[in-house]
Amino acid sequence: MKPFDYKRAASAEDAIGAAASGATIIAGGTNLLDLMKLEVMAPETLVDINRLDLGQITVSGDGLRIGALVTNSDLAADKTVRRDYPVLAKALLAGASGQLRNKATTGGNLLQRTRCYYFYDTAMPCNKRDPGSGCAAMEGFNRIHAILGASEHCIATHPSDMAVAMLALKAVVEVEGEDGARSIQLDDFYRLPGDTPQHETVLKPDELITAVTLPAPVASTQIYRKVRDRASYAFALVSVAAVIGMEDGKIAHAALAFGGLAPRPWRNDALDRALVGAEPSAALLEEAADILLEDATGHGGNDFKIPLARRTLIAVLEEATK
């Protein structure tokens, strides 16, 4: 690990000013410290925001406001989250280990980096780490990589479980920067790689995530299903977050999001629209899977994800529409 300066921010303004000057924000550090030890990231200055007043979960209107420093453990255990947003609690508990969840924060979880092997290996080319150097995963070992939304420059996947559930819940990210505060729909927060995979979000260099808000809960069955290589402490090969409401035997509303399939938490509006107003049937669920996977492309090692995603989606929809 290369030497660096360490400072504690006394206020959000302190942190924003430091970030604008090139400093890197640290909270739980569960991903950042790994990246620094491997010298994938080598910030000259770390600004610790753990003393900022961003650690509360509060009712906001009809919804819920989650401070950026709320830990994954506390969020998963919150009684309102467990009662009204169970898909989020399930996703959080499916991620990492208990020790990591005790340190990882809401803001940091949204910004965690891909677990692509080539991104972490500084001896290998990686357009995300070193723009213009190439993508070793394209012809390499790509079992965990993307089948949707990738580009010729990057096929890495986004690792967060929490963000997938929040996407299905239509969360909004609150940020503050030198130009003031703004709110960003989570669906608009992440970028696809295109020809600039080093830019993963729309967050500006001087902006700090301060909170995530969830809209009012809706009557629904909520499911988070994660398919992975072992029962715990593994990233998703495929995950599905579903918020499905039924009325009179028909699907009244549907919001689905997916992990492990793309460089960002993935949604498909056409899939949701195809379900709403329909009576569940085997043909409908097959149609839903066809819509999701219409543009799916494997890269050899990850071809299995296409049928795996199909089976996982259909199983989740069967359970949610019983």
Side-chain angles (χ1 to χ4, degrees):
M1 185 183 290
K2 295 181 178 178
F4 58 90
D5 292 330
Y6 172 85
K7 300 177 180 177
R8 284 188 172 133
S11 65
E13 290 74 19
D14 270 358
I16 291 166
S21 300
T24 297
I25 302 293
I26 185 168
T30 56
N31 186 204
L32 176 58
L33 293 180
D34 282 345
L35 293 168
M36 290 175 65
K37 285 186 282 187
L38 294 169
E39 298 190 353
V40 175
M41 294 180 67
E44 293 186 359
T45 303
L46 285 186
V47 175
D48 186 337
I49 62 169
N50 280 295
R51 291 186 177 178
L52 303 190
D53 186 23
L54 300 174
Q56 289 79 40
I57 303 171
T58 54
V59 174
S60 176
D62 295 330
L64 199 67
R65 186 173 188 274
I66 303 160
L69 290 177
V70 173
T71 67
N72 287 11
S73 292
D74 287 346
L75 187 57
D78 182 81
K79 63 180 182 182
T80 304
V81 172
R82 295 174 63 188
R83 182 189 65 212
D84 295 337
Y85 308 97
V87 66
L88 178 56
K90 294 171 185 174
L92 287 162
L93 294 174
S97 64
Q99 292 91 337
L100 287 169
R101 291 194 294 269
N102 287 341
K103 290 297 294 180
T105 62
T106 298
N109 196 313
L110 292 178
L111 296 176
Q112 65 177 302
R113 311 295 301 275
T114 181
R115 263 56 179 185
C116 173
Y117 326 113
Y118 303 102
F119 175 71
Y120 282 78
D121 185 348
T122 56
M124 302 297 290
C126 171
N127 287 321
K128 185 181 287 294
R129 173 174 31 77
D130 184 13
S133 62
C135 175
M138 197 67 72
E139 302 298 329
F141 186 69
N142 49 41
R143 183 172 183 274
I144 66 170
H145 288 72
I147 58 172
L148 291 167
S151 75
E152 62 180 316
H153 302 289
C154 183
I155 58 171
T157 52
H158 191 273
S160 174
D161 293 291
M162 183 197 77
V164 175
M166 285 186 168
L167 188 58
L169 292 168
K170 302 179 181 177
V172 175
V173 184
E174 296 182 7
V175 304
E176 291 184 17
E178 291 191 321
D179 294 332
R182 63 179 178 137
S183 298
I184 309 166
Q185 291 286 337
L186 186 58
D187 204 14
D188 299 325
F189 184 74
Y190 294 104
R191 298 172 183 256
L192 289 178
D195 57 4
T196 55
Q198 71 275 22
H199 300 306
E200 298 170 346
T201 73
V202 299
L203 203 64
K204 298 175 183 176
D206 65 304
E207 286 184 323
L208 173 72
I209 295 175
T210 53
V212 176
T213 57
L214 302 179
V218 293
S220 58
T221 297
Q222 299 187 14
I223 296 171
Y224 187 76
R225 184 166 298 189
K226 179 177 181 178
V227 182
R228 49 188 166 179
D229 282 328
R230 56 179 183 267
S232 67
Y233 199 48
F235 294 97
L237 296 170
V238 174
S239 67
V240 180
V243 180
I244 305 282
M246 299 290 293
E247 288 182 9
D248 301 326
K250 295 183 178 180
I251 299 172
H253 60 86
L256 290 136
F258 303 86
L261 301 182
R264 50 160 291 169
W266 190 255
R267 284 202 67 229
N268 186 316
D269 288 337
L271 165 58
D272 293 352
R273 289 196 301 270
L275 294 172
V276 174
E279 292 184 9
S281 66
L284 178 68
L285 305 193
E286 291 287 349
E287 178 189 350
D290 288 343
I291 293 171
L292 172 66
L293 298 166
E294 181 180 7
D295 297 323
T297 302
H299 302 277
N302 65 348
D303 290 349
F304 74 98
K305 281 192 175 184
I306 297 175
L308 180 62
R310 170 178 290 276
R311 293 196 300 272
T312 307
L313 171 59
I314 289 174
V316 167
L317 289 175
E318 286 176 339
E319 181 179 347
T321 58
K322 283 181 179 175

